[in-house]
Amino acid sequence: MIPRYSRPEMAQVWSEQGKFEKWLEVEIAACEAWAEQGAIPQEDLEKIRHASFKLDDINRYMEITRHDVTAFLRSVADSLGEESRWVHLGLTSSDVWDTATGLQIREAAEILGSVGIVLNSNPIPMTCSLEEISATPNLKQKTSGKPLPLSRTETRTPDASVSILIST
């Protein structure tokens, strides 16, 4: 974002800080889904919900790992103890990146809507259901090559990947 052409709230959405905040939301939501399945102990989940990251650490780890998600995960692990082993369980880098980017797009669209900008003549509501998303071919998202499920309550085993939906 070019600062002089950006609203501060929009610049925040697309900033590095904003991106990693969304990544952390996705990681925590995945851990919550695993905990619902009994794969992550509740006491570990409570600690994970308070995880954080530091941009300086991510940048430092990037020079070592040359992988943005790995650098991010190392910084998050620094804020946790042994429970950090659950973070990123069953996820790929693309799962985190793509889901978080979708959250950023939704937040940016909400900002545009709040200032009266219409994105197209037949918009899909920001509060649409998974069924509506699934019925819209260009909005189908994939997780590890499989379409998102229609509910968060699918039966999964701890060794299977977990698909999540973050809704407001």
Side-chain angles (χ1 to χ4, degrees), residues 45-63:
L45 178 61
E46 290 306 316
K47 293 174 184 174
I48 291 168
R49 285 181 173 144
H50 295 95
S52 62
F53 61 88
K54 295 180 182 171
L55 282 176
D56 290 341
D57 290 345
I58 294 172
N59 292 329
R60 185 168 41 85
Y61 290 139
M62 270 291 293
E63 291 184 23

Side-chain angles (χ1 to χ4, degrees), residues 6-23:
S6 304
R7 293 177 174 266
E9 61 270 27
M10 186 66 80
Q12 171 56 30
V13 169
W14 297 108
S15 69
E16 288 293 292
Q17 180 73 29
K19 174 179 77 173
F20 293 127
E21 286 171 1
K22 295 301 182 205
W23 286 15

